[in-house]
Amino acid sequence: MTGPLLALRDLRVCFRTGHGGVWGRKPVLRAVDGVSFDINEGETLGLVGESGCGKSTLARALVGLERAAVGEAIFDGRDILKMSPAEFRPLRRDIQMIFQDPFASLNPRLSIGRILAEPLFIHRLARNRAEARAKVAGTLERVGMDPDAIGRFPHEFSGGQRQRIAIARVMILAPRLIIADEPVSALDVSVQARVLNLIRALRRDSGASMLFISHDLGVVRHISDRIVVMQGGRIVEAGDKGRIFDAPQHAYTRRLLASVPRIPARGV
């Protein structure tokens, strides 16, 4: 195909909030207010901004968990925002999401084997249980987990291990676009780097594109090719990673950069 894998144009997501006014109508909050950007094949685009700026709402709109009021999201030539749930269902294999909280995103009543095998049967990627089990075991090994985890349950694992399992659930479908919504912010700092390196390696090996969302520019710098900066529901700056870090144009971007911790140089 030619052109970007995903082209987002003037996306707006609105909510009615608070109490009704004089005429009983609640005020409208534009959580996402006219956002446009492209994601190319094999590219990782970092979306960064403070909590509450609309990043997660944007991500949820792209996978059908929030309804967009206006805009287009052209994926592989088709506007996914205009699709009914039935029309979008075949694309769920191609567009997968890693959520912030790995415990909340994993069904506590299902074993790890069932959590990973169910998408294979839904999308007809396994002909039988033996084939599914082999794919599940191989995917667990890819994310650094022991295949013996198949029979265990989410509560038996640490936060970092649960996020690896959530990543495995995404990777087992070989998606074309991965939306990672703050995938390490719920993890201990000591675990974050290892999970980030895993995500970067799996994305590189699979050739998938990625929208990587974070409030932390330091994290985004580690994994992204290009960066877009979001404030108050809008994109205020966009560019190559090097340009954003070396010559930020917007005052908000400069404030975000100033908040990134720096390790002082050691004296001689």
Side-chain angles (χ1 to χ4, degrees), residues 215-257:
H215 65 277
D216 187 335
L217 261 173
V219 169
V220 169
R221 183 177 196 173
H222 184 71
I223 202 166
S224 303
D225 301 307
R226 288 188 301 119
I227 295 173
V228 291
V229 181
M230 193 169 181
Q231 181 188 28
R234 297 186 176 192
I235 300 298
V236 297
E237 187 163 2
D240 291 338
K241 176 171 61 177
R243 205 275 297 162
I244 293 290
F245 276 85
D246 295 339
Q249 301 299 303
H250 198 276
Y252 178 68
T253 308
R254 292 194 289 270
R255 289 203 304 271
L256 287 179
L257 283 168

Side-chain angles (χ1 to χ4, degrees), residues 156-223:
E156 299 180 61
F157 297 92
S158 68
Q161 289 172 323
R162 285 195 290 263
Q163 195 61 294
R164 287 175 182 268
I165 293 164
I167 293 167
R169 182 178 56 185
V170 166
M171 300 308 299
I172 203 167
L173 292 177
R176 297 178 63 191
L177 175 65
I178 301 167
I179 300 172
D181 184 16
E182 298 271 13
V184 299
S185 64
L187 305 179
D188 292 339
V189 173
S190 59
V191 180
Q192 286 185 5
R194 292 196 294 272
V195 174
L196 277 175
N197 287 333
L198 171 66
I199 292 172
R200 185 167 63 174
L202 290 173
R203 193 222 60 78
R204 182 189 63 237
D205 294 345
S206 69
S209 302
M210 180 181 290
L211 175 62
F212 188 92
I213 298 169
S214 178
H215 65 277
D216 187 335
L217 261 173
V219 169
V220 169
R221 183 177 196 173
H222 184 71
I223 202 166

Side-chain angles (χ1 to χ4, degrees), residues 9-227:
R9 297 291 178 265
D10 194 32
L11 178 67
R12 298 168 191 260
V13 182
C14 303
F15 302 107
R16 292 199 176 275
T17 62
H19 300 288
V22 175
W23 304 107
R25 298 192 65 182
K26 295 180 179 179
V28 173
L29 169 67
R30 291 186 176 183
V32 180
D33 191 9
V35 169
S36 301
F37 58 70
D38 294 342
I39 302 178
N40 299 314
E41 291 272 11
E43 177 185 47
T44 297
L45 180 70
L47 175 60
V48 67
E50 293 172 329
S51 297
C53 73
K55 306 185 305 297
S56 293
T57 300
L58 184 153
R60 291 170 63 84
L62 290 178
V63 295
L65 297 176
E66 299 287 358
R67 186 171 181 176
V70 178
E72 295 180 334
I74 308 299
F75 177 81
D76 200 14
R78 302 171 65 193
D79 187 356
I80 58 178
L81 299 183
K82 303 297 190 295
M83 292 180 178
S84 68
E87 290 171 327
F88 186 66
R89 194 169 297 120
L91 289 179
R92 288 194 178 278
R93 176 192 172 184
D94 290 328
I95 306 173
Q96 285 285 304
M97 188 164 173
I98 304 170
F99 293 90
Q100 178 178 357
D101 184 350
F103 192 66
S105 67
L106 300 175
N107 190 330
R109 296 181 178 85
L110 299 183
S111 69
I112 302 308
R114 283 194 62 188
I115 288 171
L116 298 187
E118 276 196 343
L120 294 176
F121 291 120
I122 290 171
H123 295 282
R124 300 180 181 180
L125 299 176
R127 291 168 294 183
N128 51 54
R129 290 183 179 179
E131 184 176 348
R133 186 179 180 87
K135 288 186 176 183
V136 167
T139 304
L140 285 171
E141 287 185 319
R142 285 182 67 197
V143 300
M145 296 289 294
D146 193 319
D148 289 342
I150 284 176
R152 297 165 64 188
F153 290 81
H155 72 270
E156 299 180 61
F157 297 92
S158 68
Q161 289 172 323
R162 285 195 290 263
Q163 195 61 294
R164 287 175 182 268
I165 293 164
I167 293 167
R169 182 178 56 185
V170 166
M171 300 308 299
I172 203 167
L173 292 177
R176 297 178 63 191
L177 175 65
I178 301 167
I179 300 172
D181 184 16
E182 298 271 13
V184 299
S185 64
L187 305 179
D188 292 339
V189 173
S190 59
V191 180
Q192 286 185 5
R194 292 196 294 272
V195 174
L196 277 175
N197 287 333
L198 171 66
I199 292 172
R200 185 167 63 174
L202 290 173
R203 193 222 60 78
R204 182 189 63 237
D205 294 345
S206 69
S209 302
M210 180 181 290
L211 175 62
F212 188 92
I213 298 169
S214 178
H215 65 277
D216 187 335
L217 261 173
V219 169
V220 169
R221 183 177 196 173
H222 184 71
I223 202 166
S224 303
D225 301 307
R226 288 188 301 119
I227 295 173

